[in-house]
Amino acid sequence: MPADQTDDSFMNHPNPGSWDPIRLFRSLVGSIHLAPGTLDLYIHSVSTLLLLHPWLPHAAPDTALTFYELAAELHDGSLISATSRRDLERLRYGRTGN
């Protein structure tokens, strides 16, 4: 997300070109909270980001490792929805590298 935004009003007229995918990936993974409901949003956001930018795990390997380790734990737990579980499976079996 742009660093100079003090609130979310910029989202009414987003400029995706100004969003740095690496920074967004690190921010999303670094702020995941193990709370029902929010986990599904984070998983969907990270999953979509990785599908749009499949090179991200290579650009931010530490963040990717953190996410994939957490994803493995979440996949087998009961905190996420069936949709999130499918998102994680798609990433797990469709990814390359790491």
Side-chain angles (χ1 to χ4, degrees):
M1 277 189 342
D4 59 350
Q5 303 300 328
T6 57
D7 60 40
D8 63 1
S9 63
F10 74 96
M11 295 180 82
N12 291 327
H13 304 287
N15 176 6
S18 69
W19 294 21
D20 175 22
I22 296 171
R23 186 169 167 208
L24 184 56
F25 181 48
R26 287 181 174 143
S27 178
L28 285 169
V29 172
S31 61
I32 291 176
H33 299 288
L34 299 179
T38 60
L39 271 174
D40 292 321
L41 178 60
Y42 279 103
I43 290 169
H44 178 72
S45 298
V46 173
S47 173
T48 301
L49 189 62
L50 288 171
L51 290 172
L52 290 172
H53 304 286
W55 50 267
L56 276 173
H58 300 289
D62 291 344
T63 303
L65 181 61
T66 298
F67 178 71
Y68 289 132
E69 287 175 348
L70 180 60
E73 292 175 32
L74 291 173
H75 182 270
D76 296 332
S78 62
L79 291 176
I80 61 173
S81 68
T83 301
S84 291
R85 200 170 317 287
R86 283 190 299 276
D87 283 346
L88 293 178
E89 288 170 358
R90 185 174 59 241
L91 289 174
R92 180 186 224 173
Y93 297 113
R95 71 181 175 141
T96 58
N98 290 340

